[in-house]
Amino acid sequence: MTPPSSEGGTTVSLSSSEPDALVDARVSPTGSLENLSQREVAQLLSAGHGGVYQLFRRCALAVLSSGLQTDDIRDIFGRYKDFDIRLGRQAWGVKLEVRNAPSSAFVDGQMIRGIKEHLFAVLRDIVYIHDAILGNNRFDLNDPASITNAVYQILRNARILDYKGRPDLVVCWGGHSIGSAEYDYTKKVGYELGLRALSVCTGCGPGAMKGPMKGATIGHAKQRIRDGRYIGMTEPGIIAAEPPNPIVNQLVIMPDIEKRLEAFVRTAHAIIVFPGGAGTAEEILYLLGILLNPANAEQPLPVVFTGPSSSADYFAQIDRFIGATLGEAAQRRYKIVVGDAAQAAREVAKGVEAVREHRRTHRDAYNFNWLLNIAPDFQRPFEPTHEAMAKLELRRGLEPHVLAANLRRAFSGIVAGNVKEQGVQAIETHGPFELHGDREIMTLLDELLAAFVAQKRMKIAGEYRPCYRLVA
């Protein structure tokens, strides 16, 4: 049954009265999307159902599935295999017609406003990236400066860079699969950040990405801050496993993991790392690899590793791994604060002031760090095929920032094999990825990954089957 048109709102029809019923709806934006050109609309209309449409459909389903307790993308796509979404024209702009959508995205016949905003943010970014970035000769995505400019343009189009105030953005990294003690601690840190008028940016998903935002909302409320920013940055390969949590009030979809990581570090005024698994290790190695570049020696960027007292062993192991692979110079780029949320926030607040002074002195923008030097090895997209993973150099004798880049790619491949559809399918077809390297490096990797598995940091639910094999 086709529901009647509803200007500026949502009209739905349920396919059954069951709690998990599928929903048909017609949805109009409420100020979250600029008008699209006729050509942009044509890209996503039903005719053709090309690659852009399929990408949009999958990202849209991920957004509508927010709150489901699973990171199994095949479960999500299989459960809603009949989901469809169409873009249509109407007098006041565009509308979306969804079929067989998850009922959890609706309340009393209305799509939850935050989910609707996220849905149109996906539309905005998918159209912009394919039209203005990938489908335009304006950007040479093999050139480092052009890649950075593309990242800037995507963020500007999403209005992430509209904020013109003092530096206040704290990027928080950590696992989507964490225990209750660690999750509660992330909320405490977020609360302390909120009390200090700091905003939060995360990967937008559950776990350590949701907790800091949830805590910050309370801190902001106590300080009567009504315009707190809760920014979520994701990319199409990960969004289904980590759908945007409902607190995110600014969502941006980056084209790939490398541009997502660059967006994090260029917008950050400080970075907090909570406990996590392979994805968190990837983020740490990306960050340290950049900061170890001699060109960034004078860049002040406060980095704090923090968690509850029960996470002390986790951070000790991470610290040993970094020291043994990247050296003491890498260890000097972060502080570890365990069991003291207020102290972690104080360290960050103090560091943010140093960042403000550095940006002011060097006449760099507060909202985007142009002066940070990011080497091409950290910008070029890495496709984790079996061949590419096997060719990674993981050995002694490499420059620390080069080894960091290769280790980052190794963990990126493990993330793909764990939760990304293409990676999961590759593992099912060809077996686990093989990583080759020095015995010492492989031993360190084995210890760290085994700890992630034992601590259930690789998967939210179910038995974890390693997608990798280490060969010394």
Side-chain angles (χ1 to χ4, degrees), residues 22 57-58 61-62 65 68 70-83 100 102 240 421 425:
L22 302 178
R57 175 187 174 274
R58 298 170 82 78
L61 177 56
S65 302
L68 296 179
T70 180
D71 56 1
D72 187 337
I73 56 175
R74 292 172 302 176
D75 175 53
I76 293 174
F77 292 144
R79 190 184 310 184
Y80 302 104
K81 63 182 182 298
D82 295 325
F83 169 76
N100 301 311
E421 184 177 21
Q425 289 176 346

Side-chain angles (χ1 to χ4, degrees), residues 193-210:
L193 296 175
L195 289 178
R196 290 163 176 80
L198 296 170
S199 292
V200 175
C201 172
T202 77
C204 89
M209 291 167 274
K210 179 181 178 181

